[in-house]
Amino acid sequence: MAIDFPGLSPASSAGNRGKVSDQQSSTPSGAAGQPATTPERGERADTVRISDTAQALQRSSVDSSDNGGVDSDRVARIRAAIEDGSYQINNERIADSMLELDSLLGE
């Protein structure tokens, strides 16, 4: 997998590729993988910028993970009905829904 680094030519970025373990062992680190010291004069600190699209996806993922629009009371009722054998399957309703979906996809 190739990673593009803005501002670097392909030749110079290719020379910087290596195993993660090689990169980590060459960088001094303090507790929890944080740099032990601040960058020296003339060196730049590494920065990461997450795009607005990625941030929106992250927010939607967090929002949907709360309950995901699932009615947990209904799920509990259906689960109990399946376990006690009283859950009734409506074959005609399932068939109608499948035919409706097929007609939507077929056009």
Side-chain angles (χ1 to χ4, degrees):
M1 176 173 89
I3 300 174
D4 294 325
F5 294 99
L8 294 177
S9 69
S12 64
S13 64
N16 293 332
R17 293 185 190 141
K19 293 182 184 176
V20 173
S21 59
D22 293 343
Q23 293 171 357
Q24 290 173 346
S25 63
S26 65
T27 304
S29 61
Q34 298 298 324
T37 60
T38 57
E40 295 295 323
R41 196 179 194 158
E43 293 181 21
R44 293 188 335 204
D46 292 338
T47 59
V48 174
R49 183 179 184 303
I50 300 174
S51 70
D52 295 336
T53 304
Q55 290 176 8
L57 286 171
Q58 179 68 28
R59 281 192 300 274
S60 69
S61 174
V62 169
D63 293 344
S64 67
S65 67
D66 292 338
N67 70 2
V70 175
D71 183 356
S72 42
D73 291 335
R74 182 172 184 226
V75 170
R77 288 193 308 270
I78 292 171
R79 180 174 286 147
I82 291 171
E83 288 175 359
D84 70 17
S86 64
Y87 185 76
Q88 297 293 317
I89 298 173
N90 185 339
N91 294 331
E92 288 182 23
R93 182 175 171 203
I94 293 171
D96 289 341
S97 296
M98 290 174 69
L99 289 171
E100 182 181 339
L101 178 63
D102 186 51
S103 69
L104 290 173
L105 295 176
E107 291 181 8

